[in-house]
Amino acid sequence: MSAEEFTSLIAEISFVLLAILSIVRAVRHPRITKIHTSAFFSLAGLIILVSWGRDLGWLPQENEPLTTLVQILLISLPYPLLRLAGDFTGIRMIARRAAEAALLVSTVAIAASGSPLPTWVVLFVVTYFVATTTYASWMFMHAAVTMRGVSQLRMSFAAAGSLSLALLILDVGVMTFVESSVLSALSNLTMLAAGVFYYIAFAMPQWLKRLVHTSHLERFIRLSVEAAPGIIRGDSTFEMLESAVAYAMGTPHARVALWDADMGELWSPTLGGRHPLLVNPHSTVPYRGFQEQRAIFSEDAGADDLDNAEIYDGMVLLTAPVTLDNHRYGMLTAFGGPPPFLHTDDLQLLQVMADQVAVILRDRELLQEVSAARAREETMKLMDDFFAAVAHDLKTPLTTILGQGQRLQRQIRRGQELDTDAIESIVQQAVHMRRLVEDLLDDARERGQYTGDVAPVDLHELLRDLAVHAPSGHHEIVVEGESAIAPVDEARMRQVFINLLENAVKYSPDGGRIVLRAQPVESFVCVSVSDQGIGIPPGDLETIFQRFSRGSREPDRRFSGLGLGLYTCRRIVEEHGGHIEVQSRPGEGSTFTVRVPSEVGAISRKGGYAEARSGD
Ligand code: ADP
């Protein structure tokens, strides 16, 4: 057998195999694309079988009707090819009608002429054939540009196959007029090319498919690694993953659908909820796939699910369960129209990607479990700390009260004169305890209002009164400024300044100077409490006004306190329509400034705010 004969035999075998394969596929799943594919390859296969029959002597060599039949079969070839290309891109009606008319004219001309065919018939038939197959090739190419992944590869090979077929017929056409060994070799070559290209397009070998799948899978894995942290944290949608899946599958869209056990439906996190394709109860293809926990390839979803045909609008759909260790997370669905060039075995690729999505979702679940456990732990720790601080703060004054009380008891028993310092100390500690309890009660009533009725109060006078009853005899407390009248709830404002003064005492060394100052400034009254104490680190300035917030330094922890004082102050001041701020420098001291409106009308219960500044 010569090399030429061998190449043409290979090409013929591939066409016959494709014919058998496409007929089997069309019979198993009678879809329009499969019918057009099988029509095209059956015609080609039949022509080849007749030629084999003649070569082997099973069919007569010189038989006019048989020759005419073969010629008609041959010129019919481009029509199903054109329809097939149209299945993927859509075909203009005028092109289709022109092809049908040309086919009819060619058939009649061939049937009427007998062999050999007149020159004009040959010219007409070859022109029609070449034009139609070239147009089909262009359509395949056009479809390839819009597609990705395996679909794109298949379309490109279908385009190359059709172009080879056009060249083959052109070559054969020229050979009817010119005898040339080059042309004959070229015809064998173009036929082989057409056979191989079509074979790759319509029956892609596993190794090639695996190669393409692997490269797309690598891309998907890379993108999924980038998208995973966002999805795991729960602050990103699945968009990046979905576009990587669509790219790999060559479908216009892909969606991750998560299972909502309460609603009994699938929902899309990207679309922020329901998607008709996913949730239409109990029947959509992805829903069915989820129930049966299997991957489904539906080449024409509308035909496979007639109840919801209008949702699919002629789309191809592949769906695979996102499941890990029997935990069903949802479905991964790739879909869209015009139908990409996909086969059932492309589901394997989708399933691998669905498995990867399941791994990401599992990580997210684990992280959520861990952070929930951590939050629980933190709450417990916060409560433990809180109760320890409350117990400690109540125990200290109680110890003093008890000690001093027992001392008075002894003095009474012995008929001695009572120690007034002891009585003073008991009262002071009881006042301190009452304040602690008030703070706690205020906090418990957090959503309620702090401020009651307001009346004009001279805050400068208030400061002087506080200074007289100061909680420490070890500090120098001075009052500066001038009369500053503002409408306030006196008891509450007193509580604010007592808090600030107590903090100034608490966080300053003995002998330190504390300045209380009140003065009107424009439409406000400004009251400040300055100390020369330990100061506040810049990092703490933002947080000290928050609930239960205490200084971060170790020395701060040595002073008793619940971290409620400044929080309460801020709430009270804000309810007066004012604000409280602090300026501080560690090691040098702090100044807390309260501003409240001096006009009644300026009080807005929500208008206030707290500010913190590092004093430099
Ligand atoms: P507590 O004093 O009970 O801890 P506060 O809300 O009154 O709660 O104060 C919160 C934190 O602000 C304190 O733990 C302390 O670190 C810091 N702080 C408040 N006042 C002063 C001050 N005058 N000097 C230094 N630090 C202060």
Side-chain angles (χ1 to χ4, degrees):
M1 186 186 285
S2 71
E4 261 185 48
E5 283 167 346
F6 181 70
T7 45
S8 82
L9 183 66
I10 296 283
E12 286 168 1
I13 290 174
S14 63
F15 272 106
V16 172
L17 284 179
L18 279 169
I20 297 168
L21 195 76
S22 60
I23 291 170
V24 171
R25 280 181 181 164
V27 170
R28 278 172 53 189
H29 302 284
R31 300 269 180 275
I32 196 73
T33 39
K34 293 211 162 115
I35 291 167
H36 287 149
T37 315
S38 70
F40 173 70
F41 287 113
S42 308
L43 284 175
L46 206 58
I47 296 164
I48 290 161
L49 286 182
V50 171
S51 120
W52 285 353
R54 277 175 157 176
D55 290 349
L56 294 170
W58 296 343
L59 291 171
Q61 282 288 357
E62 305 293 332
N63 181 301
E64 184 83 20
L66 192 61
T67 306
T68 306
L69 180 71
V70 170
Q71 284 168 344
I72 291 173
L73 288 178
L74 187 69
I75 55 149
S76 306
L77 259 182
Y79 186 68
L81 187 69
L82 188 73
R83 295 295 305 272
L84 180 61
D87 291 338
F88 297 109
T89 55
I91 182 173
R92 283 167 180 257
M93 197 41 94
I94 181 150
R96 189 172 143 185
R97 293 284 172 253
E100 283 164 359
L103 174 60
L104 193 70
V105 172
S106 305
T107 310
V108 172
I110 288 171
S113 308
S115 72
L117 293 174
T119 309
W120 74 267
V121 176
V122 174
L123 282 177
F124 180 82
V125 169
V126 168
T127 310
Y128 145 73
F129 198 109
V130 172
T132 318
T133 42
T134 308
Y135 183 59
S137 167
W138 182 82
M139 284 167 73
F140 280 126
M141 237 161 349
H142 184 70
V145 174
T146 62
M147 289 177 187
R148 296 275 173 277
V150 186
S151 292
Q152 187 179 47
L153 196 72
R154 288 202 175 110
M155 281 292 162
S156 311
F157 276 103
S162 306
L163 204 62
S164 307
L165 195 64
L167 281 175
L168 169 68
I169 298 302
L170 189 66
D171 192 52
V172 171
V174 175
M175 276 201 295
T176 49
F177 304 109
V178 189
E179 284 240 354
S180 155
S181 59
V182 177
L183 287 178
S184 128
L186 193 68
S187 74
N188 277 323
L189 220 63
T190 46
M191 184 160 168
L192 179 67
V196 172
F197 290 152
Y198 277 139
Y199 204 86
I200 293 175
F202 293 92
M204 190 178 276
Q206 277 303 324
W207 62 267
L208 184 61
K209 195 182 290 177
R210 220 167 289 140
L211 210 71
V212 180
H213 281 182
T214 308
S215 82
H216 285 107
L217 207 57
E218 275 170 10
R219 185 178 180 279
F220 169 79
I221 300 279
R222 220 176 31 249
L223 285 173
S224 73
V225 167
E226 279 172 38
I231 293 173
I232 291 170
R233 276 199 310 274
D235 59 7
S236 132
T237 65
F238 291 76
E239 254 161 6
M240 206 156 144
L241 273 191
E242 291 174 341
S243 68
V245 172
Y247 187 95
M249 297 308 300
T251 50
H253 312 284
R255 292 270 175 253
V256 174
L258 299 179
W259 178 244
D260 181 336
D262 295 335
M263 300 293 288
E265 62 188 25
L266 293 163
W267 65 282
S268 155
T270 312
L271 302 172
R274 288 152 169 258
H275 186 278
L277 185 67
L278 307 171
V279 297
N280 206 11
H282 315 298
S283 58
T284 58
V285 180
Y287 189 93
R288 190 149 39 90
F290 182 78
Q291 292 299 331
E292 295 165 16
Q293 282 296 294
R294 67 183 177 99
I296 301 177
F297 170 60
S298 177
E299 208 172 0
D300 182 350
D304 286 347
D305 176 11
L306 290 172
D307 289 348
N308 302 301
E310 78 286 355
I311 303 174
Y312 305 108
D313 194 21
M315 64 172 63
V316 79
L317 189 150
L318 301 94
T319 186
V322 179
T323 298
L324 188 72
D325 298 337
N326 289 329
H327 190 119
R328 303 169 173 197
Y329 292 101
M331 292 299 281
L332 177 63
T333 307
F335 61 96
F341 209 168
L342 292 165
H343 286 304
T344 316
D345 46 12
D346 291 318
L347 274 179
Q348 289 167 3
L349 175 64
L350 187 72
Q351 187 60 68
V352 176
M353 292 191 280
D355 292 345
Q356 169 75 4
V357 174
V359 171
I360 295 174
L361 290 174
R362 176 88 193 122
D363 284 352
R364 181 166 82 157
E365 212 173 55
L366 286 176
L367 193 86
Q368 280 165 353
E369 279 168 21
V370 168
S371 47
R374 202 173 292 158
R376 268 198 306 276
E377 239 171 61
E378 268 167 24
T379 312
M380 293 305 289
K381 190 174 170 313
L382 217 68
M383 279 174 67
D384 287 349
D385 288 355
F386 176 70
F387 286 123
V390 170
H392 175 261
D393 276 20
L394 291 176
K395 199 175 150 211
T396 314
L398 261 180
T399 312
T400 314
I401 292 172
L402 194 64
Q404 300 297 346
Q406 285 168 341
R407 197 167 141 205
L408 290 174
Q409 245 178 1
R410 274 196 305 276
Q411 287 170 346
I412 293 170
R413 237 183 278 129
R414 291 177 198 153
Q416 292 170 344
E417 197 178 328
L418 294 182
D419 181 352
T420 50
D421 276 358
I423 297 171
E424 183 76 12
S425 174
I426 288 175
V427 171
Q428 217 177 60
Q429 294 304 324
V431 167
H432 181 59
M433 272 181 73
R434 190 181 62 186
R435 257 213 349 95
L436 272 175
V437 174
E438 272 170 5
D439 272 1
L440 287 170
L441 286 176
D442 280 347
D443 187 63
R445 286 197 300 263
E446 207 221 332
R447 270 173 226 98
Q449 273 177 18
Y450 279 77
T451 317
D453 290 337
V454 297
V457 174
D458 186 341
L459 297 182
H460 189 255
E461 273 302 313
L462 187 72
L463 293 185
R464 285 158 64 95
D465 187 47
L466 286 182
V468 172
H469 300 101
S472 164
H474 308 287
H475 293 78
E476 184 196 347
I477 299 174
V478 287
V479 180
E480 294 180 354
E482 56 192 291
S483 170
I485 299 172
V488 295
D489 175 337
E490 186 175 355
R492 286 309 198 182
M493 243 343 127
R494 182 181 286 271
Q495 190 184 343
V496 170
F497 299 129
I498 291 179
N499 249 325
L500 295 178
L501 184 57
E502 277 186 358
N503 276 352
V505 168
K506 187 158 71 172
Y507 298 106
S508 307
D510 282 356
R513 183 182 156 89
I514 295 168
V515 179
L516 308 178
R517 187 180 178 80
Q519 69 187 106
V521 178
E522 293 167 2
S523 57
F524 285 90
V525 164
C526 270
V527 180
S528 61
V529 179
S530 307
D531 63 57
Q532 298 170 326
I534 59 172
I536 302 165
D540 286 354
L541 289 174
E542 294 294 328
T543 53
I544 52 172
F545 291 98
Q546 290 167 9
R547 199 168 169 226
F548 297 128
S549 174
R550 307 213 55 216
S552 59
R553 292 167 303 185
E554 183 49 34
D556 299 25
R557 307 275 164 166
R558 275 190 248 126
F559 301 105
S560 67
L562 299 176
L564 278 174
L566 290 180
Y567 168 75
T568 311
C569 291
R570 193 196 71 179
R571 291 284 312 264
I572 294 172
V573 172
E574 284 181 356
E575 285 196 11
H576 280 84
H579 77 247
I580 179 167
E581 64 179 38
V582 58
Q583 278 182 292
S584 184
R585 217 200 279 259
E588 292 185 14
S590 317
T591 298
F592 284 85
T593 308
V594 170
R595 268 166 179 264
V596 283
S598 52
E599 300 287 328
V600 179
I603 296 182
S604 111
R605 295 210 180 277
K606 290 187 183 130
Y609 57 94
E611 250 179 34
R613 258 187 260 148
S614 183
D616 51 3

